Amino acid sequence: QNDGQDLEGWFSRGHRWDQATTRPNLNLTKQPLPWSEQYKGKANLHVFEDWCGGAVRHLRKNLHFPLFPHTRTTVKKLAVSPKWKNYGLRIFGYIHPFKDGDFQFAVASDDNSEFWLSSDDSPSNSRLVAFVGKLGSEWTAPGEFTKFSSQVSKPLHLMSSRRYYFELLHKQDDRGSDHVEVGWRVFLPSLKFEVIDSSYISLYTDESSLKMNHVEHIPQTLASHSGSYLWEAQQDEHGADMLKPDPRDTFFLTPAIEASRVENVLVPCAYSPSYVVKDFPIARYQGLQFVYLSFVYPNDFTRLTHMETENKCFYRESPLYLEKFGFYKYMKMDEEEEDPRQRAFLFLSPDNFLEDEEEEEEEGADSPEPTDPLPEAKGKSFGPVPGAKGKETPPDPSEGEEDELGLLKPSKHGGALSLQPHLSPPVSGGKARTPGPSRAAAPREDRKPRKAQDKVYVTRLQPRKHKAPAQETVFPGIFLYPKPLKKVHLRSRTPQKHPIASSKLRSIPGRRTPWLLGNISKERDPARRKSGRGGGRSRETHEDTTPGPGRTVATTDYNSSEVTRSEGARVTSFLKMSETTASQQEEGKGQEEEEEEEEEVSDYSYETGELQQSWLEDSINWQRTFSVSSVDFELLRSDWNDLRCNVSGNLQLSESEVVDVVAQYMEKLNEKNGGIYTLLRIINVEKRRDTARGNRYLLELELSERGQRTVRLSEYVYILLHQGKQDDSAEANPEGPALGATEPQPSTWSILYGKPILCRPLRLSWKQDVMVHFVVPVKNQARWVQQFISDMAHLYGATKDANFNVILVDFDSDDMDVEKALQDARLPRYQYLRRTGNFERSAGLQAGVDMVEDGHSIVFLCDLHIHFPPNILDSIRKHCVEGRLAYAPIVMRLSCGSSPREPNGYWEVNGFGLFGIYKSDFDRVGGMNTEEFRDRWGGEDWELLDRVLQSGLEVERLRLRNFYHYYHSKRGMWNARSKKPPKD
C-alpha cells in the first residue's frame, strides 16, 4: 500500500494482526500515557454536536474533530444511546480480556459506526476490525449484530495479562433511534455476542481536571487524527465555482506601485454621491433600504449555482410559477416537419369526409398519440372554429405566436384549418368531425379569444372510399357556466384500425378539452401536469360541472355520440345530454357485446390509476427542437440591496464599460510616467452606481513596469457627470485644487455637452498599511476560541502582514485560559480584556473598541465562528475610508455538515454584524448601543447601521469570496442554561 491511503481501503477487506498496514505520514500517538488501576470501569467519551450526516467520514470532516469536542465525559459500558440528533461520538480506552484465547467483536448502530482495536496498548497500532456502513444510509436495530457481514470481526487472539487500546466512532443524523453498542464473544459460533460492560474496560486517561483547550493528551490514530478531514475526505470535486482559484484571492501579495507614480494622474474632483443620506431621519432598522450593492468585473463566481437546485430566486419567477411552468417561457418550439404521407390537402366537397357525432367533453384530457401508421388518405379539412370567453391563463411556452386557441381562421372557401401540436380542437354543438393529422399552424397576430358566435366543423378522413351524406346544420355552440347536470357515463367506441392522429393536437389552455372519441383518451403527460396544463381531475363517471376560472363547461345542448364499429356506417344518433337515459346506455352496451370489448376509464384520477391495456400510450417527439435567444439575467438585477434572494452573487459589470474606463486611465497613467506601464490583467473592478452625479470605480490592475517587474495598482477613480455644488467644489483640500481651477475649459465643455470626466475623487483614497483591529467578545466557547486564534495565526503566516491586532473580550470563561492561548499563538499582536457577568455582545464590542487608542485605524466588529479568506485584511482596508466609507462584507452561512472545502449554504444578506469602520467614525456615530441591547443580541447591527448612514458615511456591501460563517447551534453558548437531563 502507498502512503496517503485513505480509510476506504480499510473497508474493502478484513484485517489481522499480522497484516501489513499503511499509515499515512501522520503524527500518530505511539507512546501511551501512564495508566492507573483507578481508570477501570469507564471509557473516555467525546461528543461532537451540530454536525449533519450519518457516515463516520462525515464526522472526520468536522472542523473540531478529534481534538476539540463539545463535551468530554465518560461512559460505563460500550452501549450508548443519548436520544439526540446530528452528533458524532468517539469512545476510546482499553479492553481487558477475561481470559486468553480468540475473540470476535461485533458492532451495531444507527447510523454508521466503526470499531478499531490495537494489537497492544499503543493507539498507533489500531486496526479497523468491524463497522456498520460507510455511506451513512446503513443502520441496524439495537443488538442486531449480524445484519451486515462487516459488523463481525475475524477471530483475534487476546491475552488476559494485557490491555488493548480500542476506539469506537459513531455518527447519527436526525432520523432513527440513535444507538451504538459493541459486543464480544469467545470464538465459538454457537455463542451469542454480549455487550462489553464496565468489568472489561478502562479509561485511556483522566480528563476531569483538564481545560477544554488542553489537547496534548488526546490520542491520534488512523481512525482519528487532526488531519483526517484532509486525507480521508471525499475526493469528488465540489460544485461551487467559488472554490476555483481567482487572482483576486492572492493579488495582495503583488508589490504595490509606487505612490508617486499615481499622484496627479487624474484631475481631482469633489466626491459627493447623491445616495448619501446625511442628517436624513431614518426610522429604526430602515437603514437597510439605503444600502446599495456594487457591481463587479470580472465574474467572481459568488453566485451559489450549486444551491439553485433548492432555491431558484435568482430568476425572479415565483417558486409556484417555476413548479407549474418551469422555464419554457424562454423557449419557442420549432414547427415540426410533416410526413409527406400525412400532408393535408384542401377538399371543397363534403363528399370526401365522413361525419361523426359530437363527442363528450373531458376535463384535462388530451387526445392520444397514434401508435399505428395512418391509412393513406387524400387529406383533411376543418370548418370554422368557435371560441369561448374566459379568463386568461398563462400561455404555454411552446405555443409561439399562435392565438389563444392555437387555431387559424378558415378561408372563405373552406380552407384547411391547422392545429398546434398536442392541442385538442374545441367542442362544438351539433355535428362534429374528428380531425386527422394536420400541419402546424402558422403564427397568428390576433391572440384574442374568438367570439362565441363562430362555428366549428371538425372532420376526420374517411376510412374507405364512399359517399358521405350532405352536411347538415350544426347545433348551437357551447354556453358558459351552465347549470350542473346529473350525467351518466356514455361508452363510445371507434375503430381501432384507424386511431385518431393527435400529434398535431393540443388542449386549449384554461379550457376543458373534449374527447375526440369517447373511448380514446390518455394519461396526462407528467411534464404537462407539472406545468399546470392538465387542470383538475380526469374524467370520471360523475363529471364535475362546476365552472372555474378560465374554463368553459358544456350545457344541455352538449351532445354525446356513439360510433358503430362497422366501417363506412354512418352515425345519425344525436342525443342531448339531458335526454340520455339509462336504457339508452344499456342499448349502447348491447351493441358493444357484438364487437370487440373496449376498456373504459376507471373511477379514479389518472394521477393514482393505471391505464388499461387497450389505451394508447403517449408518443414522445424526440426530434422536437426549439429556438432561444441569449438571455443575460444579470441585466434584470438592480443595485438595490435585495434581501429576498440569498443565492445570487455580486452584480456583474459589463466588459465594455470596464475596458473604456481602464483604457482612459492607462492613457493618463502613461502620459504622466512616460509610457513605462503595460496592462497585463484586469484583476478586479468595482463600481458604485450614481446616475445623478457619477459612478465611482475601484480599479485593480496588474501592470508591467518597463517590462521588468509586475506591480499592483489599486485606486479609486470617479466618472463625474456634472459639476457638484459650489460648497462641494470649494472644499478642495490640500490634495489638489478643484477641478474648475485646474482645467476650466474641459470642465465647462464637458458640463455643457454632457461628456463625463474621469477624475480622482477627493478624500477617497485608502491606506495600504493601516492597522486593522479584530474585536471579538467570547464566553465559554473553547473549541471556537481556539479555532479563531489558530485562524488568525494562520492568516499572519500566510500574509506576513503584521498590521493587525486581535482583541478578545472574555466574559469570564471557565472552560479554557483564553489569555494563555493568545500568548502561545503566533500573532503579531493581541489584547485581552476580561469582564465579569453575563455575555453582552454590544457591551463586549464597545469595550474592545475602547481599547484602541489610534482613531485613524480600522476596527472590524467580528464574530467567533468565522473562516477568513487570506485577502481579508486587504479587502477591509480597500473598502474603509475615514470619513467616507464603512465596510459590511456579506458572509456565507454554511449549512449543517458543510465546510469551507464543501461550502453548501447561503449568503447572509440580512446580517451586518461583520462591520469594518474607522475608529474615529465609530466614535462619531456614538458606538454600540449598550443600553437597549444589554441582555440580548440580534438587531444591534441594524441599529448601528442606521446611525452610520445618518452620519453621512457610505456602506460598501459586497459578497466576499471564501468568507464563511461556520454552522453551529446555540447549545452551550453564552448565557444558555441546560435543562435537567431526563432520567431515562
PDB file of all heavy atoms in Angstrom, residues 622-652:
ATOM      1  N   TRP A 622     -39.038  12.945 -29.887  1.00  0.00           N
ATOM      2  CA  TRP A 622     -37.637  13.150 -29.509  1.00  0.00           C
ATOM      3  C   TRP A 622     -36.945  14.121 -30.445  1.00  0.00           C
ATOM      4  O   TRP A 622     -35.867  14.614 -30.136  1.00  0.00           O
ATOM      5  CB  TRP A 622     -36.898  11.817 -29.527  1.00  0.00           C
ATOM      6  CG  TRP A 622     -37.445  10.809 -28.580  1.00  0.00           C
ATOM      7  CD1 TRP A 622     -38.130   9.670 -28.886  1.00  0.00           C
ATOM      8  CD2 TRP A 622     -37.368  10.856 -27.154  1.00  0.00           C
ATOM      9  NE1 TRP A 622     -38.488   9.000 -27.748  1.00  0.00           N
ATOM     10  CE2 TRP A 622     -38.031   9.710 -26.661  1.00  0.00           C
ATOM     11  CE3 TRP A 622     -36.813  11.752 -26.235  1.00  0.00           C
ATOM     12  CZ2 TRP A 622     -38.147   9.434 -25.318  1.00  0.00           C
ATOM     13  CZ3 TRP A 622     -36.924  11.483 -24.897  1.00  0.00           C
ATOM     14  CH2 TRP A 622     -37.586  10.344 -24.437  1.00  0.00           C
ATOM     15  N   GLN A 623     -37.562  14.395 -31.586  1.00  0.00           N
ATOM     16  CA  GLN A 623     -36.935  15.267 -32.571  1.00  0.00           C
ATOM     17  C   GLN A 623     -37.397  16.711 -32.452  1.00  0.00           C
ATOM     18  O   GLN A 623     -37.044  17.530 -33.284  1.00  0.00           O
ATOM     19  CB  GLN A 623     -37.245  14.747 -33.985  1.00  0.00           C
ATOM     20  CG  GLN A 623     -36.658  13.366 -34.247  1.00  0.00           C
ATOM     21  CD  GLN A 623     -37.052  12.848 -35.628  1.00  0.00           C
ATOM     22  OE1 GLN A 623     -38.212  12.966 -36.017  1.00  0.00           O
ATOM     23  NE2 GLN A 623     -36.091  12.310 -36.358  1.00  0.00           N
ATOM     24  N   ARG A 624     -38.190  17.012 -31.421  1.00  0.00           N
ATOM     25  CA  ARG A 624     -38.671  18.381 -31.277  1.00  0.00           C
ATOM     26  C   ARG A 624     -37.503  19.311 -30.970  1.00  0.00           C
ATOM     27  O   ARG A 624     -36.698  19.084 -30.088  1.00  0.00           O
ATOM     28  CB  ARG A 624     -39.699  18.481 -30.166  1.00  0.00           C
ATOM     29  CG  ARG A 624     -40.177  19.915 -29.936  1.00  0.00           C
ATOM     30  CD  ARG A 624     -41.211  20.011 -28.841  1.00  0.00           C
ATOM     31  NE  ARG A 624     -42.462  19.404 -29.260  1.00  0.00           N
ATOM     32  CZ  ARG A 624     -42.989  18.328 -28.680  1.00  0.00           C
ATOM     33  NH1 ARG A 624     -42.364  17.762 -27.662  1.00  0.00           N
ATOM     34  NH2 ARG A 624     -44.124  17.827 -29.095  1.00  0.00           N
ATOM     35  N   THR A 625     -37.392  20.379 -31.694  1.00  0.00           N
ATOM     36  CA  THR A 625     -36.351  21.392 -31.473  1.00  0.00           C
ATOM     37  C   THR A 625     -37.017  22.709 -31.127  1.00  0.00           C
ATOM     38  O   THR A 625     -38.235  22.879 -31.257  1.00  0.00           O
ATOM     39  CB  THR A 625     -35.478  21.550 -32.719  1.00  0.00           C
ATOM     40  OG1 THR A 625     -36.316  21.898 -33.837  1.00  0.00           O
ATOM     41  CG2 THR A 625     -34.739  20.243 -33.036  1.00  0.00           C
ATOM     42  N   PHE A 626     -36.214  23.649 -30.685  1.00  0.00           N
ATOM     43  CA  PHE A 626     -36.757  24.943 -30.288  1.00  0.00           C
ATOM     44  C   PHE A 626     -35.735  26.028 -30.562  1.00  0.00           C
ATOM     45  O   PHE A 626     -34.551  25.768 -30.793  1.00  0.00           O
ATOM     46  CB  PHE A 626     -37.147  24.942 -28.804  1.00  0.00           C
ATOM     47  CG  PHE A 626     -35.988  24.820 -27.858  1.00  0.00           C
ATOM     48  CD1 PHE A 626     -35.385  25.957 -27.308  1.00  0.00           C
ATOM     49  CD2 PHE A 626     -35.489  23.580 -27.509  1.00  0.00           C
ATOM     50  CE1 PHE A 626     -34.329  25.847 -26.447  1.00  0.00           C
ATOM     51  CE2 PHE A 626     -34.425  23.463 -26.645  1.00  0.00           C
ATOM     52  CZ  PHE A 626     -33.842  24.602 -26.102  1.00  0.00           C
ATOM     53  N   SER A 627     -36.204  27.228 -30.536  1.00  0.00           N
ATOM     54  CA  SER A 627     -35.364  28.411 -30.714  1.00  0.00           C
ATOM     55  C   SER A 627     -35.292  29.170 -29.403  1.00  0.00           C
ATOM     56  O   SER A 627     -36.254  29.211 -28.646  1.00  0.00           O
ATOM     57  CB  SER A 627     -35.936  29.322 -31.811  1.00  0.00           C
ATOM     58  OG  SER A 627     -36.039  28.622 -33.030  1.00  0.00           O
ATOM     59  N   VAL A 628     -34.140  29.755 -29.130  1.00  0.00           N
ATOM     60  CA  VAL A 628     -33.955  30.510 -27.898  1.00  0.00           C
ATOM     61  C   VAL A 628     -32.959  31.625 -28.149  1.00  0.00           C
ATOM     62  O   VAL A 628     -32.045  31.491 -28.968  1.00  0.00           O
ATOM     63  CB  VAL A 628     -33.455  29.582 -26.758  1.00  0.00           C
ATOM     64  CG1 VAL A 628     -32.075  29.044 -27.045  1.00  0.00           C
ATOM     65  CG2 VAL A 628     -33.495  30.302 -25.411  1.00  0.00           C
ATOM     66  N   SER A 629     -33.166  32.718 -27.504  1.00  0.00           N
ATOM     67  CA  SER A 629     -32.244  33.849 -27.595  1.00  0.00           C
ATOM     68  C   SER A 629     -31.350  33.879 -26.367  1.00  0.00           C
ATOM     69  O   SER A 629     -31.726  33.406 -25.298  1.00  0.00           O
ATOM     70  CB  SER A 629     -33.018  35.169 -27.697  1.00  0.00           C
ATOM     71  OG  SER A 629     -33.845  35.182 -28.844  1.00  0.00           O
ATOM     72  N   SER A 630     -30.178  34.419 -26.539  1.00  0.00           N
ATOM     73  CA  SER A 630     -29.265  34.552 -25.411  1.00  0.00           C
ATOM     74  C   SER A 630     -29.858  35.523 -24.394  1.00  0.00           C
ATOM     75  O   SER A 630     -30.258  36.632 -24.742  1.00  0.00           O
ATOM     76  CB  SER A 630     -27.900  35.065 -25.891  1.00  0.00           C
ATOM     77  OG  SER A 630     -27.030  35.253 -24.800  1.00  0.00           O
ATOM     78  N   VAL A 631     -29.922  35.078 -23.153  1.00  0.00           N
ATOM     79  CA  VAL A 631     -30.546  35.884 -22.095  1.00  0.00           C
ATOM     80  C   VAL A 631     -29.508  36.173 -21.021  1.00  0.00           C
ATOM     81  O   VAL A 631     -28.875  35.247 -20.506  1.00  0.00           O
ATOM     82  CB  VAL A 631     -31.756  35.151 -21.474  1.00  0.00           C
ATOM     83  CG1 VAL A 631     -32.400  36.027 -20.407  1.00  0.00           C
ATOM     84  CG2 VAL A 631     -32.765  34.798 -22.546  1.00  0.00           C
ATOM     85  N   ASP A 632     -29.305  37.425 -20.715  1.00  0.00           N
ATOM     86  CA  ASP A 632     -28.411  37.816 -19.630  1.00  0.00           C
ATOM     87  C   ASP A 632     -29.277  38.223 -18.439  1.00  0.00           C
ATOM     88  O   ASP A 632     -29.784  39.335 -18.371  1.00  0.00           O
ATOM     89  CB  ASP A 632     -27.512  38.973 -20.058  1.00  0.00           C
ATOM     90  CG  ASP A 632     -26.451  39.291 -19.012  1.00  0.00           C
ATOM     91  OD1 ASP A 632     -26.457  38.632 -17.944  1.00  0.00           O
ATOM     92  OD2 ASP A 632     -25.619  40.177 -19.242  1.00  0.00           O
ATOM     93  N   PHE A 633     -29.434  37.307 -17.501  1.00  0.00           N
ATOM     94  CA  PHE A 633     -30.308  37.575 -16.360  1.00  0.00           C
ATOM     95  C   PHE A 633     -29.710  38.632 -15.431  1.00  0.00           C
ATOM     96  O   PHE A 633     -30.418  39.193 -14.603  1.00  0.00           O
ATOM     97  CB  PHE A 633     -30.567  36.283 -15.590  1.00  0.00           C
ATOM     98  CG  PHE A 633     -31.408  35.302 -16.342  1.00  0.00           C
ATOM     99  CD1 PHE A 633     -30.826  34.276 -17.056  1.00  0.00           C
ATOM    100  CD2 PHE A 633     -32.786  35.412 -16.351  1.00  0.00           C
ATOM    101  CE1 PHE A 633     -31.601  33.374 -17.766  1.00  0.00           C
ATOM    102  CE2 PHE A 633     -33.568  34.517 -17.053  1.00  0.00           C
ATOM    103  CZ  PHE A 633     -32.972  33.493 -17.766  1.00  0.00           C
ATOM    104  N   GLU A 634     -28.419  38.885 -15.557  1.00  0.00           N
ATOM    105  CA  GLU A 634     -27.810  39.926 -14.740  1.00  0.00           C
ATOM    106  C   GLU A 634     -28.380  41.299 -15.065  1.00  0.00           C
ATOM    107  O   GLU A 634     -28.430  42.173 -14.205  1.00  0.00           O
ATOM    108  CB  GLU A 634     -26.287  39.936 -14.944  1.00  0.00           C
ATOM    109  CG  GLU A 634     -25.551  38.774 -14.307  1.00  0.00           C
ATOM    110  CD  GLU A 634     -25.526  38.868 -12.791  1.00  0.00           C
ATOM    111  OE1 GLU A 634     -25.786  39.962 -12.270  1.00  0.00           O
ATOM    112  OE2 GLU A 634     -25.239  37.853 -12.145  1.00  0.00           O
ATOM    113  N   LEU A 635     -28.809  41.485 -16.296  1.00  0.00           N
ATOM    114  CA  LEU A 635     -29.369  42.784 -16.690  1.00  0.00           C
ATOM    115  C   LEU A 635     -30.689  43.059 -15.989  1.00  0.00           C
ATOM    116  O   LEU A 635     -31.124  44.213 -15.922  1.00  0.00           O
ATOM    117  CB  LEU A 635     -29.566  42.829 -18.204  1.00  0.00           C
ATOM    118  CG  LEU A 635     -28.292  42.682 -19.056  1.00  0.00           C
ATOM    119  CD1 LEU A 635     -28.647  42.703 -20.531  1.00  0.00           C
ATOM    120  CD2 LEU A 635     -27.299  43.796 -18.724  1.00  0.00           C
ATOM    121  N   LEU A 636     -31.328  42.018 -15.474  1.00  0.00           N
ATOM    122  CA  LEU A 636     -32.601  42.196 -14.781  1.00  0.00           C
ATOM    123  C   LEU A 636     -32.416  42.588 -13.328  1.00  0.00           C
ATOM    124  O   LEU A 636     -33.388  42.906 -12.650  1.00  0.00           O
ATOM    125  CB  LEU A 636     -33.409  40.896 -14.861  1.00  0.00           C
ATOM    126  CG  LEU A 636     -33.663  40.351 -16.270  1.00  0.00           C
ATOM    127  CD1 LEU A 636     -34.419  39.035 -16.192  1.00  0.00           C
ATOM    128  CD2 LEU A 636     -34.418  41.358 -17.120  1.00  0.00           C
ATOM    129  N   ARG A 637     -31.173  42.553 -12.840  1.00  0.00           N
ATOM    130  CA  ARG A 637     -30.927  42.856 -11.435  1.00  0.00           C
ATOM    131  C   ARG A 637     -30.626  44.338 -11.264  1.00  0.00           C
ATOM    132  O   ARG A 637     -30.212  45.022 -12.189  1.00  0.00           O
ATOM    133  CB  ARG A 637     -29.753  42.032 -10.906  1.00  0.00           C
ATOM    134  CG  ARG A 637     -29.948  40.530 -11.035  1.00  0.00           C
ATOM    135  CD  ARG A 637     -28.722  39.778 -10.567  1.00  0.00           C
ATOM    136  NE  ARG A 637     -28.477  40.010  -9.151  1.00  0.00           N
ATOM    137  CZ  ARG A 637     -27.343  39.684  -8.545  1.00  0.00           C
ATOM    138  NH1 ARG A 637     -26.342  39.160  -9.232  1.00  0.00           N
ATOM    139  NH2 ARG A 637     -27.187  39.916  -7.257  1.00  0.00           N
ATOM    140  N   SER A 638     -30.808  44.823 -10.051  1.00  0.00           N
ATOM    141  CA  SER A 638     -30.501  46.214  -9.743  1.00  0.00           C
ATOM    142  C   SER A 638     -29.563  46.254  -8.551  1.00  0.00           C
ATOM    143  O   SER A 638     -29.279  45.231  -7.927  1.00  0.00           O
ATOM    144  CB  SER A 638     -31.787  46.987  -9.421  1.00  0.00           C
ATOM    145  OG  SER A 638     -32.325  46.549  -8.178  1.00  0.00           O
ATOM    146  N   ASP A 639     -29.059  47.437  -8.247  1.00  0.00           N
ATOM    147  CA  ASP A 639     -28.127  47.568  -7.131  1.00  0.00           C
ATOM    148  C   ASP A 639     -28.854  47.766  -5.804  1.00  0.00           C
ATOM    149  O   ASP A 639     -28.231  48.075  -4.788  1.00  0.00           O
ATOM    150  CB  ASP A 639     -27.164  48.733  -7.359  1.00  0.00           C
ATOM    151  CG  ASP A 639     -27.879  50.054  -7.575  1.00  0.00           C
ATOM    152  OD1 ASP A 639     -29.130  50.047  -7.641  1.00  0.00           O
ATOM    153  OD2 ASP A 639     -27.207  51.091  -7.687  1.00  0.00           O
ATOM    154  N   TRP A 640     -30.149  47.582  -5.816  1.00  0.00           N
ATOM    155  CA  TRP A 640     -30.892  47.618  -4.558  1.00  0.00           C
ATOM    156  C   TRP A 640     -30.486  46.416  -3.714  1.00  0.00           C
ATOM    157  O   TRP A 640     -30.254  45.318  -4.214  1.00  0.00           O
ATOM    158  CB  TRP A 640     -32.392  47.591  -4.841  1.00  0.00           C
ATOM    159  CG  TRP A 640     -33.240  47.503  -3.612  1.00  0.00           C
ATOM    160  CD1 TRP A 640     -33.355  48.415  -2.624  1.00  0.00           C
ATOM    161  CD2 TRP A 640     -34.099  46.415  -3.249  1.00  0.00           C
ATOM    162  NE1 TRP A 640     -34.228  47.982  -1.654  1.00  0.00           N
ATOM    163  CE2 TRP A 640     -34.701  46.756  -2.006  1.00  0.00           C
ATOM    164  CE3 TRP A 640     -34.423  45.199  -3.828  1.00  0.00           C
ATOM    165  CZ2 TRP A 640     -35.597  45.925  -1.358  1.00  0.00           C
ATOM    166  CZ3 TRP A 640     -35.315  44.369  -3.179  1.00  0.00           C
ATOM    167  CH2 TRP A 640     -35.894  44.739  -1.955  1.00  0.00           C
ATOM    168  N   ASN A 641     -30.387  46.603  -2.430  1.00  0.00           N
ATOM    169  CA  ASN A 641     -29.952  45.549  -1.515  1.00  0.00           C
ATOM    170  C   ASN A 641     -31.071  44.513  -1.386  1.00  0.00           C
ATOM    171  O   ASN A 641     -31.945  44.631  -0.537  1.00  0.00           O
ATOM    172  CB  ASN A 641     -29.605  46.147  -0.148  1.00  0.00           C
ATOM    173  CG  ASN A 641     -28.999  45.120   0.776  1.00  0.00           C
ATOM    174  OD1 ASN A 641     -28.373  44.167   0.334  1.00  0.00           O
ATOM    175  ND2 ASN A 641     -29.174  45.314   2.071  1.00  0.00           N
ATOM    176  N   ASP A 642     -31.035  43.528  -2.258  1.00  0.00           N
ATOM    177  CA  ASP A 642     -32.103  42.533  -2.329  1.00  0.00           C
ATOM    178  C   ASP A 642     -32.000  41.598  -1.135  1.00  0.00           C
ATOM    179  O   ASP A 642     -31.056  40.810  -1.019  1.00  0.00           O
ATOM    180  CB  ASP A 642     -31.994  41.751  -3.637  1.00  0.00           C
ATOM    181  CG  ASP A 642     -33.196  40.856  -3.865  1.00  0.00           C
ATOM    182  OD1 ASP A 642     -34.078  40.825  -2.994  1.00  0.00           O
ATOM    183  OD2 ASP A 642     -33.258  40.206  -4.921  1.00  0.00           O
ATOM    184  N   LEU A 643     -32.983  41.673  -0.234  1.00  0.00           N
ATOM    185  CA  LEU A 643     -32.992  40.844   0.959  1.00  0.00           C
ATOM    186  C   LEU A 643     -33.770  39.553   0.751  1.00  0.00           C
ATOM    187  O   LEU A 643     -33.907  38.764   1.683  1.00  0.00           O
ATOM    188  CB  LEU A 643     -33.590  41.625   2.139  1.00  0.00           C
ATOM    189  CG  LEU A 643     -32.915  42.948   2.478  1.00  0.00           C
ATOM    190  CD1 LEU A 643     -33.645  43.627   3.625  1.00  0.00           C
ATOM    191  CD2 LEU A 643     -31.454  42.733   2.834  1.00  0.00           C
ATOM    192  N   ARG A 644     -34.275  39.333  -0.459  1.00  0.00           N
ATOM    193  CA  ARG A 644     -35.120  38.162  -0.695  1.00  0.00           C
ATOM    194  C   ARG A 644     -34.368  36.990  -1.289  1.00  0.00           C
ATOM    195  O   ARG A 644     -34.838  35.867  -1.217  1.00  0.00           O
ATOM    196  CB  ARG A 644     -36.266  38.545  -1.642  1.00  0.00           C
ATOM    197  CG  ARG A 644     -37.195  39.625  -1.094  1.00  0.00           C
ATOM    198  CD  ARG A 644     -38.142  40.099  -2.170  1.00  0.00           C
ATOM    199  NE  ARG A 644     -37.407  40.670  -3.301  1.00  0.00           N
ATOM    200  CZ  ARG A 644     -37.982  41.118  -4.409  1.00  0.00           C
ATOM    201  NH1 ARG A 644     -39.291  41.031  -4.531  1.00  0.00           N
ATOM    202  NH2 ARG A 644     -37.267  41.628  -5.397  1.00  0.00           N
ATOM    203  N   CYS A 645     -33.220  37.238  -1.886  1.00  0.00           N
ATOM    204  CA  CYS A 645     -32.511  36.163  -2.583  1.00  0.00           C
ATOM    205  C   CYS A 645     -31.124  35.989  -1.974  1.00  0.00           C
ATOM    206  O   CYS A 645     -30.318  36.930  -1.976  1.00  0.00           O
ATOM    207  CB  CYS A 645     -32.394  36.460  -4.074  1.00  0.00           C
ATOM    208  SG  CYS A 645     -31.838  35.039  -5.031  1.00  0.00           S
ATOM    209  N   ASN A 646     -30.857  34.801  -1.461  1.00  0.00           N
ATOM    210  CA  ASN A 646     -29.596  34.548  -0.782  1.00  0.00           C
ATOM    211  C   ASN A 646     -28.679  33.601  -1.538  1.00  0.00           C
ATOM    212  O   ASN A 646     -27.729  33.077  -0.959  1.00  0.00           O
ATOM    213  CB  ASN A 646     -29.858  33.993   0.626  1.00  0.00           C
ATOM    214  CG  ASN A 646     -30.766  32.782   0.602  1.00  0.00           C
ATOM    215  OD1 ASN A 646     -31.027  32.199  -0.448  1.00  0.00           O
ATOM    216  ND2 ASN A 646     -31.267  32.401   1.768  1.00  0.00           N
ATOM    217  N   VAL A 647     -28.950  33.381  -2.829  1.00  0.00           N
ATOM    218  CA  VAL A 647     -28.030  32.580  -3.633  1.00  0.00           C
ATOM    219  C   VAL A 647     -27.384  33.389  -4.752  1.00  0.00           C
ATOM    220  O   VAL A 647     -26.396  32.950  -5.337  1.00  0.00           O
ATOM    221  CB  VAL A 647     -28.743  31.349  -4.246  1.00  0.00           C
ATOM    222  CG1 VAL A 647     -29.255  30.430  -3.168  1.00  0.00           C
ATOM    223  CG2 VAL A 647     -29.863  31.767  -5.176  1.00  0.00           C
ATOM    224  N   SER A 648     -27.936  34.562  -5.066  1.00  0.00           N
ATOM    225  CA  SER A 648     -27.357  35.377  -6.128  1.00  0.00           C
ATOM    226  C   SER A 648     -26.042  35.982  -5.660  1.00  0.00           C
ATOM    227  O   SER A 648     -25.873  36.311  -4.491  1.00  0.00           O
ATOM    228  CB  SER A 648     -28.332  36.484  -6.545  1.00  0.00           C
ATOM    229  OG  SER A 648     -28.704  37.267  -5.430  1.00  0.00           O
ATOM    230  N   GLY A 649     -25.112  36.122  -6.581  1.00  0.00           N
ATOM    231  CA  GLY A 649     -23.790  36.653  -6.252  1.00  0.00           C
ATOM    232  C   GLY A 649     -23.726  38.148  -6.444  1.00  0.00           C
ATOM    233  O   GLY A 649     -24.743  38.845  -6.550  1.00  0.00           O
ATOM    234  N   ASN A 650     -22.503  38.662  -6.514  1.00  0.00           N
ATOM    235  CA  ASN A 650     -22.312  40.085  -6.748  1.00  0.00           C
ATOM    236  C   ASN A 650     -22.836  40.471  -8.123  1.00  0.00           C
ATOM    237  O   ASN A 650     -22.816  39.678  -9.067  1.00  0.00           O
ATOM    238  CB  ASN A 650     -20.825  40.441  -6.646  1.00  0.00           C
ATOM    239  CG  ASN A 650     -20.318  40.413  -5.227  1.00  0.00           C
ATOM    240  OD1 ASN A 650     -21.023  40.820  -4.303  1.00  0.00           O
ATOM    241  ND2 ASN A 650     -19.101  39.934  -5.018  1.00  0.00           N
ATOM    242  N   LEU A 651     -23.300  41.706  -8.245  1.00  0.00           N
ATOM    243  CA  LEU A 651     -23.761  42.228  -9.530  1.00  0.00           C
ATOM    244  C   LEU A 651     -22.594  42.268 -10.504  1.00  0.00           C
ATOM    245  O   LEU A 651     -21.471  42.614 -10.132  1.00  0.00           O
ATOM    246  CB  LEU A 651     -24.348  43.623  -9.357  1.00  0.00           C
ATOM    247  CG  LEU A 651     -25.581  43.737  -8.450  1.00  0.00           C
ATOM    248  CD1 LEU A 651     -25.885  45.193  -8.156  1.00  0.00           C
ATOM    249  CD2 LEU A 651     -26.771  43.076  -9.095  1.00  0.00           C
ATOM    250  N   GLN A 652     -22.875  41.913 -11.761  1.00  0.00           N
ATOM    251  CA  GLN A 652     -21.823  41.849 -12.767  1.00  0.00           C
ATOM    252  C   GLN A 652     -21.765  43.138 -13.579  1.00  0.00           C
ATOM    253  O   GLN A 652     -22.798  43.685 -13.977  1.00  0.00           O
ATOM    254  CB  GLN A 652     -22.061  40.653 -13.686  1.00  0.00           C
ATOM    255  CG  GLN A 652     -22.042  39.315 -12.961  1.00  0.00           C
ATOM    256  CD  GLN A 652     -20.739  39.064 -12.254  1.00  0.00           C
ATOM    257  OE1 GLN A 652     -19.664  39.070 -12.857  1.00  0.00           O
ATOM    258  NE2 GLN A 652     -20.804  38.851 -10.948  1.00  0.00           N
TER     259      GLN A 652
END
